[in-house]
Amino acid sequence: MTMNFKDPINLFKAIYSVGLLIFSVIYIMGFIGISETKLSGDVSPALAYFAIWGAVLWLTMVEGGQASLVGLDPVNRELYKESHPIAYKIAEVSNVGDNLDRYLLGRQFMVVAIVFIVNMSGAPNEGAELWGFPDVVTDIFLGSGLAMILFTCMVGQLNTQVNASHCMLDYIDNYFGYFTFWVAMAIEFSGLLHASYVVAMIVSWLAGKKIESKEPPREGFQLAFFWARCLLSIFILAMCFAVTLSALFNDQTTMWQDVPPEAAIVVFFILLCVVGMLEGMQIAFFAVAKIPEAERGESLFAKKTCSLLFTGEGTNLPGFMIGRQLCVVSCMFFVARVTSVSLDEGEENIYGVSDSMQELFNTGLLGAHIVTIVGSISWQLVASAFPLAFLANPATYYLLRLCLFLESTGICTGAWVLAAIHKKICGFKRDEEYIGTAEERAKTAFKDESAQVGVGHMIKLPGFVENAPPALLELLEKNPNVSQYINSVIDDVESAAKSESGAAVGAEP
């Protein structure tokens, strides 16, 4: 999705969005400078400055790396072996077996952990004041967390996604991307998130669909090592819940003082569900994008959601992704506040643990672990297996409306300005200049391979092919032109049917 700044409305949105971003950054840095954030107050402002900027800059590669590696997965890596040697080195690993799924799993934890670090470094303490700003300004930018949300979304996420979606090769072809990839792989290998694989198996069983894998079944030591890590992950997750709920019950978190413990626990689980719905929706929406309208179910809300999502010139789907990013980051900052442990001076450690263990609890990483597995990955896995059930949920429709409204305000339009500056400085070029288009590659010996989607896979790509008959699947694998032709036919059918169904959906009570 590109932004036309010759349009006066877009230009106005860009100007006020950049203005809000600059004010937010100055505001946050000011609070760090006077030691009014958790990290700057507990340690030093210098460390807080280093942590917040280091975390946000790393987030740019975590987000951009995902867009690049997922987009490059079907592309034959020999095409860019000479032009982008580091990207080739990454692809040599990520394109083997199920390594892309492993990377995505580890990368998900990195995103959540980085947001929690940003919150710990830059979120102002309750009651903090700066430069005599009126209460209304403080309430809007601090009370709601708007300053932190705009800073994280525009600088750390959206601007990098804009460039990485079209300049995948240039974006990932550096040792920063190489290092980030291996950190994500190491997190997955540690077993910290292996409870997610157990969730995937349960979802696969409920859906009656087998999880497709590019690797042979595990045997012997490999199987025992896998299940040992699964059990360890489940134990760690249970511990995280025990500590977090204990802190919430005893009012030992950074939750606002006026909120009673019972309400804080309710808010915690509601936020987990909202984050989960938003994470699952992006999987479900891409999965149904190529399913014929007649096969999208008879549910009233399924019809209303599809009518809204695929209406007009197709701008609502990318619009949802932008609004979704705002909502997810907002929820994560609130979850970070709800779950970050904070003990009063002289108060006994939770469960009587050692001081070093209590310091680990205080970092908020336990909450990040819960959000990653329970509030993010699990919902994505469920959505990959039951996309139509997600469409039929009324909450999906109303969250879609909220996301589209947030995007329409243009509050994050400044991300496109940052992306244009970043692209100019780094000299990014579109991938077509190096490897041609998918259609051009299909006419050579380096045609694209099929992406692995469906149950158990969190790749955010259209999942139409998984519903095809076996004979058609075989033909699709042999000849990509067949897939292109079918997609074009479905697009024509959808565009013709939408005008008819739109009126019917709007007329329903």
Side-chain angles (χ1 to χ4, degrees):
M1 184 179 179
T2 57
M3 184 65 64
N4 178 18
F5 289 116
K6 293 182 180 180
D7 184 330
I9 296 178
N10 288 339
L11 181 60
F12 170 75
K13 288 180 178 179
I15 292 172
Y16 97 79
S17 177
V18 171
L20 288 176
L21 174 62
I22 293 173
F23 178 78
S24 297
V25 172
I26 294 174
Y27 214 23
I28 294 168
M29 298 306 119
F31 277 105
I32 294 176
I34 61 174
S35 301
E36 280 290 355
T37 70
K38 180 176 174 59
L39 188 60
S40 63
D42 292 348
V43 185
S44 72
L47 179 61
Y49 281 131
F50 176 80
I52 194 170
W53 283 106
V56 169
L57 291 176
W58 201 3
L59 184 60
T60 63
M61 182 53 69
V62 173
E63 293 286 2
Q66 179 204 23
S68 298
L69 291 179
V70 170
L72 290 172
D73 182 51
V75 179
N76 190 313
R77 59 182 179 272
E78 296 300 323
L79 285 169
Y80 52 87
K81 181 178 181 179
E82 300 297 331
S83 62
H84 296 79
I86 302 177
Y88 178 83
K89 287 176 65 175
I90 299 173
E92 277 189 309
V93 180
S94 68
N95 289 8
V96 175
D98 296 329
N99 281 345
L100 182 59
D101 286 329
R102 295 186 178 98
Y103 160 77
L104 292 174
L105 197 67
R107 171 251 168 216
Q108 190 68 45
F109 179 78
M110 292 177 70
V111 171
V112 179
I114 287 172
V115 170
F116 273 61
I117 292 171
V118 171
N119 177 75
M120 183 171 61
S121 305
N125 297 327
E126 188 172 0
E129 296 182 356
L130 180 68
W131 302 327
F133 280 113
D135 291 342
V136 63
V137 174
T138 302
D139 291 341
I140 291 174
F141 282 89
L142 301 184
S144 66
L146 180 62
M148 296 291 292
I149 294 165
L150 293 179
F151 175 54
T152 305
C153 274
M154 281 197 272
V155 179
Q157 295 180 304
L158 291 177
N159 97 82
T160 186
Q161 292 172 5
V162 170
N163 283 332
S165 62
H166 300 294
C167 311
M168 298 178 285
L169 286 170
D170 282 347
Y171 202 94
I172 202 70
D173 191 50
N174 53 75
Y175 283 104
F176 186 27
Y178 187 72
F179 171 75
T180 301
F181 169 77
W182 278 111
V183 170
M185 293 293 286
I187 291 172
E188 189 279 337
F189 181 79
S190 72
L192 191 64
L193 305 174
H194 269 52
S196 303
Y197 292 121
V198 179
V199 175
M201 293 174 188
I202 295 173
V203 170
S204 173
W205 175 74
L206 291 174
K209 300 178 182 178
K210 182 182 177 182
I211 299 177
E212 297 295 333
S213 174
K214 297 179 181 178
E215 299 177 353
R218 301 178 185 89
E219 296 178 349
F221 174 77
Q222 187 183 34
L223 181 63
F225 185 49
F226 170 79
W227 278 108
R229 287 180 291 172
C230 287
L231 294 174
L232 175 64
S233 177
I234 293 172
F235 173 75
I236 293 174
L237 180 61
M239 258 187 47
C240 291
F241 265 112
V243 172
T244 300
L245 292 177
S246 174
L248 286 170
F249 271 119
N250 296 305
D251 199 16
Q252 295 174 319
T253 72
T254 55
M255 186 68 171
W256 292 277
Q257 294 180 357
D258 296 334
V259 180
E262 296 79 9
I265 292 172
V266 173
V267 169
F268 170 56
F269 283 104
I270 289 176
L271 288 173
L272 280 182
C273 291
V274 173
V275 171
M277 284 294 300
L278 291 166
E279 293 283 14
M281 282 166 64
Q282 64 175 334
I283 302 290
F285 288 167
F286 279 113
V288 301
K290 293 301 180 182
I291 295 178
E293 199 159 341
E295 298 178 16
R296 291 176 181 167
E298 296 299 323
S299 166
L300 169 64
F301 281 98
K303 291 181 178 180
K304 289 169 70 73
T305 299
C306 287
S307 177
L308 177 61
L309 188 64
F310 302 115
T311 191
E313 299 179 357
T315 58
N316 279 355
L317 184 56
F320 157 76
M321 296 301 293
I322 296 168
R324 186 205 74 89
Q325 196 78 66
L326 272 171
C327 287
V328 168
V329 173
S330 302
C331 289
M332 284 185 179
F333 275 120
F334 283 120
V335 171
R337 177 174 283 274
V338 172
T339 60
S340 294
V341 178
S342 179
L343 302 183
D344 294 331
E345 189 174 349
E347 195 170 4
E348 184 181 353
N349 292 344
I350 296 176
Y351 296 129
V353 300
S354 64
D355 290 343
S356 58
M357 182 62 73
Q358 184 60 52
E359 286 299 320
L360 175 63
F361 294 170
N362 295 346
T363 62
L365 289 178
L366 278 67
H369 186 66
I370 294 172
V371 173
T372 302
I373 296 179
V374 180
S376 180
I377 294 173
S378 296
W379 290 76
Q380 293 182 46
L381 293 170
V382 171
S384 71
F386 305 103
L388 295 178
F390 258 76
L391 287 185
N393 190 332
T396 299
Y397 176 75
Y398 292 114
L399 285 173
L400 173 59
R401 280 283 187 190
L402 174 62
C403 292
L404 291 176
F405 168 74
L406 291 175
E407 188 276 335
S408 69
T409 64
I411 198 168
C412 279
T413 305
W416 273 262
V417 179
L418 296 180
I421 296 172
H422 186 197
K423 183 178 181 180
K424 185 72 174 178
I425 293 174
C426 295
F428 291 149
K429 296 181 181 179
R430 294 181 68 95
D431 298 303
E432 290 83 353
E433 296 190 30
Y434 300 110
I435 56 177
T437 64
E439 291 76 13
E440 292 170 345
R441 294 193 296 271
K443 298 175 183 178
T444 70
F446 299 102
K447 63 181 180 180
D448 292 359
E449 300 175 359
S450 299
Q452 194 171 31
V453 295
V455 180
H457 302 288
M458 300 183 295
I459 297 177
K460 304 166 184 67
L461 294 172
F464 148 73
V465 295
E466 67 174 344
N467 300 306
L472 181 56
L473 281 172
E474 184 178 352
L475 183 59
L476 286 168
E477 292 178 357
K478 292 181 178 178
N479 189 347
N481 291 324
V482 176
S483 175
Q484 297 166 19
Y485 172 75
I486 292 176
N487 284 342
S488 66
V489 171
I490 292 176
D491 288 339
D492 292 338
V493 172
E494 286 181 347
S495 59
K498 276 169 196 164
S499 58
E500 300 177 3
S501 65
V505 171
E508 292 186 28

